[in-house]
Amino acid sequence: MRPTRYLGLLLLSLLLASACGADDDGIAFEGTLGERVPLTLTNWVPRIEVELGGNKGLGLVDTGAPLSIAYGGLFPQLALDTRSRVEGRAFGVRFPEMPLAVIGGGDGTSECSEPQHGVILGQDLLGHFHLNIDYREKRASLDSDGPAGEGDIVAAARLGGGAVPLEGDLVPVGATRIVVEVTVEGRKLNALIDTGASLSVISKRVIDDLALADRPQLCCSSISLFGGIVDARTVRLRELTIGKHTVKNVAALMLPNEDLLEQLSLETGRAIDMILGATPLRRFAVDIDMRAPALRLSPYPDTSHVSPDEYVLPGFSICKSTEADGAVRVVDVYEGTDAKRLGIFAGTLVVEVNGQSVKDLDAEQVLALIRKTAVGQTVKLTFRSRTNGTRSERDIVVERVLPDFE
């Protein structure tokens, strides 16, 4: 499975198409739509419970994925088939023939113990409905109609389509890319809505053109794309406007090259400058009408569910490891930090914070413990060698690794 990290985990799962695709024929379901089901949010990526063939697992709710996918390693009762129709339950209803590409993988080999999604719920399912995601209350629903009289509507376009190369097969898909116009620091951009991305992605070309000498930046983060792992720089956007709403100090990823955005531009026939992920979306109850299409945003009057200290770190990101002693694992060590200067490296295990064991704490709780130390002060971390079990202590400065604009 993919490596994981606390900050900026990107689950784009974007499968690029190249030709005309299939028509939208609708999808049958049994039950009543509109039930608000619980969300699991890991790095702001929304997952819901899904049942396939009697087995339950977590399904990633991903508007950036043209296809719904199940990993055979987590659902071994399903036959590997890129064009399956499987009985399944999701969002409180039963789908007698849920479209599903069942592929290999998902064998649980991740070095991080966070819940693994066994299913990606993509646009071949989501694209027939309204999708509502409530990041604050951790609820989601699928409905035939959107919420009445709530929020502001942003016009969108549904673009793209073609054939997805998957497991040696070419699987046809219709137009699945939901694109809206946004404004970043006064510049109008086309952005693709991707609920499967924990951070937004912005074109390096756009950032270079905006050319702010004081732009806060962070290097580097290992990012999981569907095709592999890349290192990306995180930057602050002074402001991002979607419709009537402006969000300040948005964190966005700048990938090392323009390949992903260029391929999306070719597919959609429109210059795609940005992928709109959870960093701005989490400040709203989000309703996406996949058919119209349209985006409806209802801003939260209270955004205390978004911590102002998410970039206060000991110079590195962490995840809960699969080690028996409950250690946390260092994922990315950031340039220019005290941890980097001290030679801390990815894969190192942390077993204590200021003498307190992390055995029974998840990654968020460990970070909360570290953040009891003020920015600029040192926290005592106890590391354990993965090879011989030897322990060592280091005093490491707690830093705001990605500052806000003043």
Side-chain angles (χ1 to χ4, degrees):
M1 297 293 287
R2 57 173 175 77
T4 55
R5 24 184 258 95
Y6 171 65
L7 292 174
L9 172 66
L10 186 60
L11 291 170
L12 285 173
S13 301
L14 291 173
L15 309 175
L16 300 180
S18 60
C20 294
D23 293 332
D24 185 348
D25 296 324
I27 186 167
F29 63 90
E30 297 174 2
T32 303
L33 290 170
E35 178 182 347
R36 283 164 52 84
V37 300
L39 273 184
T40 298
L41 289 173
T42 305
N43 301 313
W44 298 104
V45 172
R47 298 178 172 103
I48 65 168
E49 186 177 86
V50 175
E51 183 175 338
L52 299 174
N55 284 9
K56 294 181 179 179
L58 286 178
L60 170 67
V61 182
D62 190 354
T63 62
L67 294 176
S68 295
I69 295 172
Y71 291 100
L74 295 176
F75 289 91
Q77 78 279 16
L78 301 180
L80 300 184
D81 184 349
T82 58
R83 307 195 194 198
S84 293
R85 294 279 171 169
V86 176
E87 179 184 354
R89 293 190 63 87
F91 294 101
V93 298
R94 173 179 173 268
F95 297 97
E97 293 187 330
M98 179 185 290
L100 205 61
V102 184
I103 64 174
D107 57 3
T109 58
S110 173
E111 294 180 307
C112 295
S113 65
E114 68 181 39
Q116 300 294 331
H117 61 270
V119 181
I120 296 171
L121 299 176
Q123 288 284 37
D124 52 355
L125 175 70
L126 303 175
H128 302 276
F129 304 98
H130 279 257
L131 170 67
N132 182 269
I133 298 177
D134 187 335
Y135 289 93
R136 180 172 174 79
E137 300 301 324
K138 296 183 180 179
R139 296 279 174 176
S141 63
L142 209 60
D143 210 339
S144 55
D145 298 303
E150 297 180 10
D152 301 306
I153 295 177
V154 181
R158 183 168 172 164
L159 305 170
V164 175
L166 189 65
E167 301 279 286
D169 190 12
L170 288 176
V171 184
V173 296
T176 67
R177 311 301 190 180
I178 308 299
V179 178
V180 297
E181 186 178 83
V182 302
T183 303
V184 173
E185 298 172 9
R187 179 165 177 172
K188 292 188 182 301
L189 305 174
N190 292 315
L192 183 150
I193 301 172
D194 186 2
T195 59
S198 62
L199 282 180
S200 295
V201 176
I202 191 164
S203 166
K204 182 179 184 299
R205 168 183 48 79
V206 170
I207 292 297
D208 289 344
D209 289 347
L210 291 171
L212 284 181
D214 62 343
R215 185 180 305 281
Q217 300 189 31
L218 174 63
C219 185
C220 283
S221 300
S222 56
I223 304 302
S224 178
L225 302 178
F226 194 83
I229 309 300
V230 300
D231 288 334
R233 187 178 295 269
T234 309
V235 300
R236 284 285 190 202
L237 308 180
R238 188 183 293 277
E239 59 180 30
L240 166 68
T241 301
I242 315 169
K244 300 177 181 178
H245 305 289
T246 297
V247 182
K248 297 184 181 295
N249 280 304
V250 176
L253 289 168
M254 189 170 65
L255 300 180
N257 58 59
E258 301 286 272
D259 291 354
L260 177 60
L261 294 174
E262 286 178 356
Q263 289 180 64
L264 287 169
S265 299
L266 286 172
E267 181 194 338
T268 60
R270 185 174 299 186
I272 303 299
D273 309 294
M274 191 171 185
I275 294 169
L276 207 59
T279 32
L281 295 178
R282 63 189 177 174
R283 297 179 178 273
F284 305 90
V286 175
D287 182 82
I288 309 172
D289 181 351
M290 306 295 184
R291 300 159 304 177
L295 171 68
R296 187 191 296 264
L297 299 175
S298 301
Y300 297 117
D302 176 3
T303 57
S304 57
H305 61 293
V306 181
S307 171
D309 292 332
E310 61 185 346
Y311 283 97
V312 173
L313 298 168
F316 51 80
S317 60
I318 62 171
C319 70
K320 190 69 173 179
S321 78
T322 53
E323 298 287 322
D325 62 357
V328 295
R329 178 177 178 270
V330 175
V331 181
D332 290 314
V333 184
Y334 301 119
E335 291 182 3
T337 63
D338 190 43
K340 187 74 170 182
R341 288 187 289 270
L342 290 172
I344 306 302
F345 56 88
T348 304
L349 298 175
V350 180
V351 293
E352 292 182 358
V353 176
N354 285 330
Q356 179 176 336
S357 171
V358 303
K359 178 178 177 59
D360 298 319
L361 304 179
D362 61 25
E364 288 286 351
Q365 292 169 325
V366 173
L367 287 172
L369 193 60
I370 290 171
R371 288 169 183 148
K372 290 182 178 180
T373 300
V375 172
Q377 302 300 309
T378 59
V379 61
K380 185 178 294 295
L381 300 180
T382 303
F383 298 93
R384 176 177 64 78
S385 169
R386 301 181 70 180
T387 55
N388 58 21
T390 302
R391 294 192 173 201
S392 60
E393 292 184 348
R394 304 299 292 266
D395 292 326
I396 297 177
V397 175
V398 176
E399 305 174 58
R400 191 173 295 278
V401 296
L402 183 66
D404 289 346
F405 280 103
E406 297 296 332

